[in-house]
Amino acid sequence: YGGLDLADTTDLAAFELVFPPVEGDPDWYLLSWVFCPEENIETRTKRDKVQYPDWVKSGHLIATPGNVTDYERIRQEVLKAKGLFDLREVGIDPWNATHLTSQLLEDGVDMVKVPQNFGHLSAPSKRLEELVISKRLRHGGHPVLRWCAGNVTLLRDSNGNYRPNKGKSTERIDPIVAGIIAISRALANVTETKVYDGSLDTL
């Protein structure tokens, strides 16, 4: 299941794939593609005090030509993933995403709008936290994902719901948001089970 967070066209954008547990392996796996306009890398390196050029060299950050994010490059990466994996659905933050969503639908990708509110993001945000605490999330030590995780601030309501708060978070959190969107689609379609002393409980 995929998640797309396009954010601002001059900043980071992210495509995340989440692989729910399969029989014999209780872990969740996360693959990350993070994009940044090439002409903004030097400015962001000075402002954020993180080494964007090193991430580009290592392949953890995809620099797209120009000073705005190349949505066509994102589209091509989604299509590559569709060819490599059994891609069931891709959730997407509908903000500023109408054109890319339409293109991917025409490409045969099952796209699902995931509004950025408590109703859609609280459950997958809680599941992500549970996976991190239980050490069941495998992400290959992706450095951009880790940096963004450290930037997250949560927005909470009186009912105990919470989700990432882009307005209050320090720096970028787009890969985390995209991962939560992907988890939301997995939770909507997959029943996760775990065995305890021979009994089967649904999580």
Side-chain angles (χ1 to χ4, degrees), residues 5 7 61 63 67 69 80 84 93 106 120 124 151 172 192 199:
D5 185 47
L61 181 65
N67 59 5
T69 302
K80 287 180 185 177
L84 289 171
D93 175 357
E106 291 177 1
H120 288 87
N151 295 332
R172 306 311 308 173
E192 184 185 5
S199 64

Side-chain angles (χ1 to χ4, degrees), residues 55-123:
W55 290 341
V56 174
K57 290 178 182 177
S58 67
H60 292 103
L61 181 65
I62 299 171
T64 62
N67 59 5
V68 297
T69 302
D70 183 359
Y71 285 3
E72 178 58 25
R73 177 63 186 275
I74 297 175
R75 176 191 173 204
Q76 293 304 318
E77 294 297 336
V78 174
L79 294 180
K80 287 180 185 177
K82 183 176 183 292
L84 289 171
F85 307 107
D86 180 16
L87 183 57
R88 303 292 180 86
E89 291 181 1
V90 174
I92 188 167
D93 175 357
W95 182 84
N96 201 28
T98 302
H99 184 59
L100 181 59
T101 300
S102 298
Q103 286 183 314
L104 287 170
L105 283 169
E106 291 177 1
D107 293 327
V109 180
D110 190 359
M111 302 294 294
V112 180
K113 292 181 180 179
V114 181
Q116 305 297 282
N117 54 41
F118 288 117
H120 288 87
L121 296 186
S122 183

